[in-house]
Amino acid sequence: MAKAMPDQKSGDAATAAANPLEFHVYGPRNLSSISWKDLLSSSWKNANYRRMVIACFIQGAYLLELDRQEKRDERTGLAPQWWRPFKYRLAQVLVDERDGSIYGAVLEWDHQAALSDYIPFRPTRAPAAVVALRGTLLKAPTFRRDVVDDLRFLAWDSLKGSVRFAGALAALRDAARRFGVGNVCVGGHSLGAGFALQVGKALAKERVFVECHVFNPPSVSLAMSLRGFVETAGELWGRARAWIPYVGSQPAADTSGGNAGHSESEARASLAQSGMGRWLPYLYINTNDYICCHYSDAAGGTATVAVDSGGGNGGGKAGAATMLAVSKGPSKFLAAHGLEQWWANDVELQVALNHSKLIDRQLRSLYAAPPAALRARS
């Protein structure tokens, strides 16, 4: 007994000295590591497992920057703990050259680590590469660049002018080229979710449909608010005009509007048949998070985001982005916006909406024909 007491105390001291961001302290409790059993029944087929692991990868992207700031090297760094249990390795660090900050990472399947655990090949549905993008860090070394991009999105509802957008897009395009579109995915949290969503959309316009997982994506911007106001005003004016009696000859809109509407529907149908409807991101939101809660606003009527059932997404019905909301989880703002809720074992999710105003608006350009094409058809 006398000898057991010091051992117990030293164990407690070691636990107390552990960094609170270490994987075994802060990470998921019951998430199994990859083993040879996944060759028979892959854990990656499970949607919850997929969500939790990608959230861990994004946490690793956060810790890459924190490791840099706190001068932790490869041996003492915390970030690798968040991808090594799943047999992935760091292939590329996404660095903002303006201040040297790390805003993301490209993780690839680690064949050597997998072979050491008798896993000769990648399990089914496990991505060959994952591009993980972090959100805002309120720390001095990267605070300025993070907030500038936050304000960029707030003002313009777009991140395309950012250096980080170009870097993330290039990394994702290169991974898709090397491994194939179906073997790559991109994920982000908060500001990183905004980048992931817009980078994925940019590739979708090139008919490169990369799986996209976004956690707590920003949903508030001045540009989107103004656009929503204009759309609402236009809808109200259309209703009011329908009640105003028209005096004179039949308006030109009645003779050509039908053809224009028909040509537009034909253009959308042809785009859907060509596969343009296959990019449907996965969104994870908490309605108690003021930053992303507006994604839960339902779209009126039928959404314009429709896919052909031949793509395997719609199942014979209109396709829509998959959006999961927390039904039982953190309710205070900071916790509701946190990334850790998405790997928690006790979080309960439910399908939030089939059609969201914001998703409908953001993806509309993928399904609408270019104006020149519509004019040529009319």
Side-chain angles (χ1 to χ4, degrees):
M1 283 296 289
K3 189 175 181 179
M5 291 301 292
D7 292 339
Q8 183 177 359
K9 289 181 179 180
S10 62
D12 292 342
T15 302
N19 192 298
L21 295 178
E22 289 188 13
F23 182 79
H24 73 277
V25 176
Y26 190 50
R29 292 289 179 267
N30 300 319
L31 191 61
S32 61
S33 300
I34 293 291
S35 69
W36 63 268
K37 296 180 181 179
D38 284 275
L39 300 178
L40 304 176
S41 179
S42 176
S43 301
W44 280 94
K45 292 181 179 180
N46 184 286
N48 288 327
Y49 182 90
R50 200 173 187 84
R51 163 181 52 83
M52 294 169 76
V53 173
I54 293 176
C56 288
F57 289 168
I58 298 170
Q59 177 66 16
Y62 275 103
L63 288 172
L64 279 173
E65 171 58 20
L66 292 178
D67 285 345
R68 183 190 73 88
Q69 292 182 15
E70 298 174 17
K71 303 186 184 309
R72 288 189 286 261
D73 56 23
E74 185 177 355
R75 183 181 60 85
T76 59
L78 301 177
Q81 300 178 15
W82 290 82
W83 56 72
R84 283 178 178 167
F86 311 107
K87 303 299 181 281
Y88 281 81
R89 65 179 181 86
L90 180 63
Q92 180 184 354
V93 176
L94 302 182
V95 179
D96 189 330
E97 296 180 354
R98 297 169 298 180
D99 61 358
S101 62
I102 298 171
Y103 62 90
V106 179
L107 305 175
E108 296 180 2
W109 175 256
D110 192 341
H111 294 282
Q112 293 184 350
L115 282 174
S116 65
D117 284 342
Y118 307 102
I119 307 173
F121 53 86
R122 185 163 39 91
T124 305
R125 294 293 312 276
V130 179
V131 178
L133 304 171
R134 68 165 177 86
T136 303
L137 276 174
L138 300 180
K139 295 215 176 246
T142 187
F143 175 79
R144 177 186 173 191
R145 297 302 180 188
D146 288 356
V147 171
V148 165
D149 282 332
D150 287 327
L151 295 176
R152 185 193 308 275
F153 183 88
L154 179 64
W156 302 110
D157 188 33
S158 175
L159 295 164
K160 288 186 178 180
S162 172
V163 171
R164 297 178 179 184
F165 176 88
L169 180 60
L172 187 59
R173 183 185 285 118
D174 179 65
R177 178 187 57 81
R178 290 190 295 122
F179 298 105
V181 176
N183 297 314
V184 175
C185 71
V186 59
H189 172 251
S190 188
L191 177 62
F195 277 113
L197 197 60
Q198 296 193 12
V199 165
K201 179 181 174 181
L203 283 185
K205 289 183 177 180
E206 302 173 8
R207 299 192 179 186
V208 178
F209 309 107
V210 175
E211 184 177 329
C212 180
H213 295 260
V214 292
F215 301 86
N216 302 88
S219 63
V220 180
S221 70
L222 297 178
M224 186 171 290
S225 300
L226 291 174
R227 192 155 54 240
F229 174 78
V230 171
E231 290 178 359
T232 302
E235 182 180 352
L236 292 176
W237 168 241
R239 292 179 182 178
R241 190 172 58 178
W243 288 93
I244 300 175
Y246 182 79
V247 179
S249 61
Q250 191 72 7
D254 289 344
T255 59
S256 62
N259 292 332
H262 182 63
S263 62
E264 183 175 356
S265 62
E266 285 183 349
R268 289 184 179 180
S270 65
L271 287 173
Q273 290 175 359
S274 65
M276 283 300 290
R278 288 184 293 170
W279 187 71
L280 298 172
Y282 298 83
L283 294 96
Y284 307 94
I285 65 170
N286 188 322
T287 53
N288 294 304
D289 174 14
Y290 307 133
I291 294 176
C292 72
C293 64
H294 292 288
Y295 274 100
S296 62
D297 294 341
T302 303
T304 58
V305 180
V307 298
D308 183 72
S309 58
N313 297 303
K317 299 180 180 180
T322 300
M323 183 161 59
L324 298 175
V326 173
S327 60
K328 180 182 178 182
S331 57
K332 294 185 178 180
F333 168 68
L334 289 179
H337 189 66
L339 180 60
E340 61 273 18
Q341 66 184 309
W342 302 113
W343 65 67
N345 296 313
D346 57 349
V347 67
E348 295 182 9
L349 305 179
Q350 64 181 6
V351 177
L353 292 171
N354 287 328
H355 304 299
S356 163
K357 282 184 180 179
L358 289 185
I359 289 297
D360 178 38
R361 189 177 297 159
Q362 290 181 5
L363 302 187
R364 190 174 300 160
S365 60
L366 294 180
Y367 304 91
L374 291 178
R375 286 195 298 269
R377 283 174 171 261
S378 60

